[in-house]
Amino acid sequence: PEAAQSMIEALCHRESEVIGEKLGRMIQAKVLEHELEIGQKIQRNFLPMTIPAMEGWQLDGMLQPARKVAGDFFDFFFVPDVGRIGIVIGDVCDKGVGAALFMSLFRSLIRSGALHRYAAGGTVGVEDPATLLRRTMRATNQYVASTHPGSSIFATVFFGLLEPRTGELAYINAGHEAAVICGPSGIRAQLSATGPVIGLIENLEHAVGEATLAPGELLFGYTDGATDARNEAGQQFGDER
């Protein structure tokens, strides 16, 4: 009886420990889930709260993270210095919290660089769209590559400046999926990469591409989250679809 009682007490004690461990893990999971929900709300706030209104034009964007938070982002904003609308689509490598943190950094650097013209000697002079694009992307790349050299984090980015009156578009495509211009007969042009991804290598320079949107045409950009998505059979959605 004494041996049996001792064994029962040991088993009960162990069962109590197991239950406590499970309860602790459940609490930790709930706390983590709550923190991710907060992170998701914060990330949503990094997306444009209002989309600029342009007579004769319609702008729209959508983000559907694969997880609670993601490294993808888009942005629309008016750039007074050149009188154009900034259109940004980006994708930070990897997924999850780390990518989301760097997403906020890339997005903020690009927007700040486009809207605030500072150089070593003070405020720079009047810029044309191509100069503004190169300066902004160069500064963004330089900051991430030099400040976080061990992170191996990079982003693909499409950054365009659209002239609403003429449909002229100046853009830099830093290793991103080619945005497409679609007309009544389908895809008319693909705006392919004009340089490599940003955030890995210092002192990068990107070429600037040019295109023009005619009345009735659509500029469509996306991330590989769309093309790489798989169905239940494991088949990718793909570029053609």
Side-chain angles (χ1 to χ4, degrees), residues 48-130:
M49 302 299 293
T50 58
I51 295 178
M54 298 186 296
E55 185 178 354
W57 293 84
Q58 178 180 341
L59 295 175
D60 204 356
M62 183 190 76
L63 174 66
Q64 180 63 53
R67 301 176 184 173
K68 285 284 187 180
V69 291
D72 295 8
F73 65 96
F74 67 90
D75 203 1
F76 302 119
F77 52 90
F78 181 65
V79 184
D81 291 342
V82 293
R84 295 194 177 200
I85 295 293
I87 301 171
V88 182
I89 305 171
D91 183 7
V92 178
C93 67
D94 206 356
K95 295 179 175 64
V97 176
L101 291 172
F102 272 93
M103 177 282 287
S104 63
L105 176 61
F106 278 103
R107 177 266 185 191
S108 298
L109 288 171
I110 292 171
R111 178 181 272 249
S112 178
L115 297 178
H116 301 91
R117 301 177 297 154
Y118 294 106
T123 304
V124 300
V126 177
E127 293 180 302
D128 58 78

Side-chain angles (χ1 to χ4, degrees), residues 92-94 98-99 102 106 144-145 148-155 198-200:
V92 178
C93 67
D94 206 356
F102 272 93
F106 278 103
V144 177
H148 306 282
S151 65
S152 298
I153 291 292
F154 62 88
I198 59 175
L200 279 181

